[in-house]
């Protein structure tokens, strides 16, 4: 499913009206019908609830007034609150206001500060609040009595469902414009918006579902929207049952280069991640004196010359280059250290290995300020930084990455012709052709040291198995997050460890294969 900007969504609406002849009042009616159906799905006791709908003067408010009418028709006790002077209403919004009024729907006008004292009373007599104040067109901070309405909604502790996007959240950046409604659910229209997946918008929208409003699929396809959510059906070609005659040679040989004194666990976790992801053969290269008590017994080892600091020394370069022979992919970086001697080896391997290479942690640190060789590398390169590593990589402040993760990921991937996995609350996968994938799986319990090492091994395994680099990255990230969700469901988020995540990788594969058979348009995103 594509993820749109405000401008892209406006273009789709306009083209639907102009090219297909569907009037805007019909799109608003479709939106209201879809929202009401979702409300009944989400709140089975809705017929017995009292619903308060807060409406603005734009299309979002028009949607809210139409929702109020549909709920009234279905016997729900509903009260609409218009937060603007009715004289300011135009077009379809005015039509829906007038129709609801003629049906003797209950509506209160709160158009200024002096009238806002009634807001807490309206909220108090409601069981469910619907936020239809501002939608994707908001571009300036919420102030005055509108801000008070938002604050009172949040202060109430009542259940809140937002129409399209919580009021006050930028649909393009996820940033808060003055203040913002905190919803337990958001019912977005036609397509998800970028702000649904960017912090802090991600934290404010609750569970996200999508209501169809009648935008022709052909228009969405023609728009060539570069951002999309990764969904199960994308991975069907890479989840086929293994043939009966398969042997280990069918599934590739991965070389993992990892570890240094005190960081042997990084190598072990990457190795476990790779083996749980179905690689046929695995070799782990590491400093020869490094203790690896938790290395899986299935892994072959390649002890290499080490420096006095317990890291790979320059003498390790030749055996490493030789070790690449006969492999299908390389994973490099976890726990390798920032020792200058080691970092030089890392760069030589990244820029010279004629294989797909996934690069994490100290592999990324070795490229800081030295990324020019990536574009001409003799094989695909997949980089997996978190925002801090991404900032060091391009020589900027971490906050710049946090402020515009999608833009920074897209720019780096296209400029350097790499696949970039920017890890975060919703991990992003940017590809050399300008596409951007947003991963919907995962949870805060995965925010612990070692989770990234597991992901590195998983991506390396799929690369070795011959999965194309963009799909290897996207599928690994999806499964990695899904394994984390399974672990959290069983153990809770607080005490989760990367070892728990590793144990759930086979279950994640099974769950994804099952989801391929049941995926539908009713998908929700947490």
């Amino acid at each position: 499913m594509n993820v749109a900007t405000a401008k892209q969504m406006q273009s789709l609406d306009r083209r639907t009206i102009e090219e297909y002849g569907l009037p805007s009042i019909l799109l608003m009616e479709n939106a209201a019908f879809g929202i009401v159906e979702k409300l009944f799905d989400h709140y089975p006791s809705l017929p017995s609830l009292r619903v308060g709908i807060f409406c603005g003067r734009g299309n979002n408010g028009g949607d809210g007034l139409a929702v109020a009418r549909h709920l009234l028709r279905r016997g729900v006790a509903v009260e609409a609150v218009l937060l603007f002077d009715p004289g300011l209403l135009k077009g379809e919004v005015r039509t829906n206001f007038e129709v609801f009024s003629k049906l003797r729907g209950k509506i209160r006008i709160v158009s200024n500060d002096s009238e806002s004292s009634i807001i807490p009373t309206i909220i108090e007599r409601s069981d469910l609040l619907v936020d239809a104040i501002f939608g994707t067109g908001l571009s300036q901070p919420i102030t005055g009595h509108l801000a008070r309405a938002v604050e009172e909604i949040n202060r109430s502790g009542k259940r809140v469902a937002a129409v399209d996007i919580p009021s006050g959240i930028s649909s393009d950046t996820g940033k808060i414009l003055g203040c913002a409604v905190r919803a337990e659910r958001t019912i977005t229209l036609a397509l998800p918006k970028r702000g649904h997946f960017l912090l802090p918008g991600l934290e404010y929208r609750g569970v996200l579902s999508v209501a169809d409003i009648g935008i022709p699929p052909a228009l969405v396809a023609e728009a060539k929207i570069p951002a999309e959510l990764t969904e199960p059906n994308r991975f069907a070609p890479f989840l086929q049952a293994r043939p009966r005659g398969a042997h280990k040679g069918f599934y590739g040989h991965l070389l993992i280069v990892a570890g240094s004194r005190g960081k042997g666990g990084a190598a072990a976790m990457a190795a476990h991640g790779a083996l749980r992801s179905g690689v046929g053969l695995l070799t782990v290269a590491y400093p020869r004196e490094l203790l690896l008590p938790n290395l899986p017994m299935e892994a072959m080892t390649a002890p290499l010359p080490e420096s006095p600091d317990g890291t790979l020394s320059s003498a390790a370069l030749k055996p490493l280059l030789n070790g690449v022979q006969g492999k299908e992919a390389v994973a490099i970086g976890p726990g390798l250290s920032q020792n200058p001697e080691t970092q030089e080896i890392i760069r030589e391997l990244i820029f010279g290995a004629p294989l797909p290479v996934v690069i994490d942690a100290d592999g990324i640190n070795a490229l800081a300020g030295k990324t020019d060789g990536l574009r001409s590398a003799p094989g695909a390169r997949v980089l997996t930084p978190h925002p801090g590593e991404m900032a060091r990589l391009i020589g900027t402040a971490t906050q710049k990455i946090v402020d515009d993760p999608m833009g920074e990921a897209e720019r780096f991937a296209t400029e350097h012709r790499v696949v970039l996995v920017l890890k975060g609350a919703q991990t992003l996968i940017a590809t050399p052709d300008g596409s951007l994938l947003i991963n919907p799986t995962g949870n805060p319990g995965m925010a612990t040291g070692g989770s990234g090492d597991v992901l590195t091994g998983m991506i390396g395994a799929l690369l070795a198995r011959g999965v194309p680099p963009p799909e290897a990255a996207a599928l690994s990230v999806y499964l990695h997050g899904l394994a984390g969700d399974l672990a959290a469901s069983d153990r809770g988020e607080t005490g989760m460890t990367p070892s728990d995540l590793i144990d759930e990788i086979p279950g994640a594969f099974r769950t994804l294969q099952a989801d391929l058979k049941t995926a539908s348009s009713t998908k929700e995103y947490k």
Side-chain angles (χ1 to χ4, degrees), residues 256-345:
I256 293 178
V257 186
S260 62
R261 186 178 298 159
K263 295 182 179 179
M269 285 183 285
H272 281 287
L275 287 167
R276 289 295 191 186
S277 299
V279 73
L281 293 164
L282 174 66
T283 297
V284 180
Y286 59 94
R288 67 162 52 104
E289 298 300 321
L290 181 64
L291 296 177
L292 292 171
N294 294 316
L295 195 70
M297 68 179 69
E298 297 88 350
M300 295 176 280
T301 59
L304 298 172
E306 68 176 49
S307 70
D309 294 334
T311 71
L312 293 179
S313 74
S314 57
L317 179 59
K318 185 175 180 180
L320 262 179
L321 293 175
N322 290 335
V324 167
Q325 304 301 315
K327 310 298 189 299
E328 278 69 47
V330 178
I332 187 167
L336 279 175
S337 86
Q338 296 187 48
N339 178 291
E341 199 173 350
T342 307
Q343 298 257 293
E344 183 59 37
I345 293 172

Side-chain angles (χ1 to χ4, degrees), residues 65-355:
L65 290 165
V67 167
R69 171 166 48 83
H70 279 283
L71 290 177
L72 182 67
R73 182 178 62 83
R74 295 176 69 164
V76 177
V78 59
E79 181 174 14
V81 184
L82 180 63
L83 294 170
F84 288 87
D85 186 323
L88 297 173
L89 303 183
K90 298 179 181 179
E92 298 78 16
V93 186
R94 170 167 285 282
T95 298
N96 275 298
F97 172 76
E98 291 174 348
V99 172
F100 186 64
S101 299
K102 288 177 181 177
L103 291 172
R104 297 185 178 165
K106 193 172 183 181
I107 187 163
R108 298 298 299 262
I109 310 299
V110 182
S111 61
N112 55 52
D113 287 336
S114 63
E115 296 172 342
S116 63
S117 59
I118 191 64
I119 291 174
T121 303
I122 297 169
I123 291 174
E124 179 58 32
R125 61 184 179 229
S126 301
D127 302 307
L128 172 67
L129 303 176
V130 176
D131 162 33
I133 306 171
F134 291 108
T136 60
L138 184 66
S139 59
Q140 59 188 12
I142 298 176
T143 59
H145 74 289
L146 300 167
R148 177 170 183 183
V150 170
E151 291 160 1
E152 293 290 353
I153 289 170
N154 289 342
R155 189 180 297 120
S156 71
K158 297 292 180 75
R159 306 182 80 174
V160 180
V163 172
D164 211 10
I165 194 164
S167 293
I169 296 297
S170 166
S171 64
D172 287 352
T173 69
K175 290 184 171 48
I176 297 173
L177 299 173
C179 59
V181 170
R182 189 178 288 273
E184 72 169 10
R185 286 188 174 272
T186 294
I187 303 166
T188 197
L189 306 176
L191 296 174
K193 316 307 183 289
R194 288 192 175 205
H196 290 136
F197 303 99
L198 295 169
L199 292 170
L202 172 64
E203 295 181 328
Y204 277 69
R205 51 96 161 157
V207 178
L208 179 69
S209 57
V210 183
D212 181 16
I213 67 170
I215 302 292
L219 280 185
V220 178
E222 288 173 18
K224 298 188 184 304
I225 296 171
E228 62 179 292
L229 286 169
T230 48
E231 296 184 289
N233 58 6
R234 184 185 190 93
F235 306 122
F238 313 110
L239 295 170
Q240 303 300 317
R242 295 191 172 201
R244 299 293 291 175
H247 57 77
K248 60 189 176 184
F250 278 35
Y251 299 105
H253 191 166
L254 173 66
L255 174 67
I256 293 178
V257 186
S260 62
R261 186 178 298 159
K263 295 182 179 179
M269 285 183 285
H272 281 287
L275 287 167
R276 289 295 191 186
S277 299
V279 73
L281 293 164
L282 174 66
T283 297
V284 180
Y286 59 94
R288 67 162 52 104
E289 298 300 321
L290 181 64
L291 296 177
L292 292 171
N294 294 316
L295 195 70
M297 68 179 69
E298 297 88 350
M300 295 176 280
T301 59
L304 298 172
E306 68 176 49
S307 70
D309 294 334
T311 71
L312 293 179
S313 74
S314 57
L317 179 59
K318 185 175 180 180
L320 262 179
L321 293 175
N322 290 335
V324 167
Q325 304 301 315
K327 310 298 189 299
E328 278 69 47
V330 178
I332 187 167
L336 279 175
S337 86
Q338 296 187 48
N339 178 291
E341 199 173 350
T342 307
Q343 298 257 293
E344 183 59 37
I345 293 172
I346 294 170
R347 287 190 290 271
E348 291 281 350
L349 195 59
I350 290 172
F351 295 146
L355 299 172

Side-chain angles (χ1 to χ4, degrees), residues 32-53 67-68 70-72 74-79 126-130 159 161 184 187:
F33 181 79
I35 292 164
V36 168
E37 291 301 306
K38 294 291 184 184
L39 288 174
F40 274 93
D41 288 343
H42 300 332
Y43 303 102
S45 60
L46 188 60
S48 63
L49 300 181
R50 296 165 298 176
V51 181
I53 304 181
V67 167
H70 279 283
L71 290 177
L72 182 67
R74 295 176 69 164
V76 177
V78 59
E79 181 174 14
S126 301
D127 302 307
L128 172 67
L129 303 176
V130 176
R159 306 182 80 174
E184 72 169 10
I187 303 166

Side-chain angles (χ1 to χ4, degrees), residues 347-488:
R347 287 190 290 271
E348 291 281 350
L349 195 59
I350 290 172
F351 295 146
L355 299 172
V357 180
V358 56
I359 307 154
D360 184 35
D362 289 322
I364 294 169
N365 291 329
L367 296 175
K370 298 179 172 65
T371 58
D372 289 347
L374 286 171
R375 190 177 179 91
S376 57
R381 300 297 183 254
V382 180
L383 282 71
T384 64
H386 56 60
E389 291 166 341
M390 184 70 192
R392 288 193 293 275
L393 185 66
I394 64 176
T396 191
T398 301
Q399 191 60 45
K400 184 178 180 184
I401 307 301
V402 173
D403 287 343
D404 186 19
M406 293 187 181
E408 294 294 342
E410 287 170 321
R411 282 189 286 274
F412 190 91
T414 54
E415 179 182 349
H416 296 282
R417 308 299 299 166
V418 299
V419 176
L420 185 84
V421 176
L422 183 55
K423 295 180 285 194
Q426 298 273 202
T427 294
L428 308 173
I429 302 96
T431 66
D433 66 2
S435 298
L436 182 73
L437 307 175
I438 303 168
N439 183 65
T441 62
N443 62 80
M446 299 169 68
T448 183
S451 291
D453 302 323
V454 177
L455 177 62
T456 300
M458 295 175 71
I459 296 173
L462 293 185
L463 289 172
R465 290 174 55 183
V467 178
E471 304 304 328
L475 176 53
S476 296
V477 169
Y478 191 98
L479 288 165
H480 184 256
L482 184 54
D485 290 339
L486 293 172

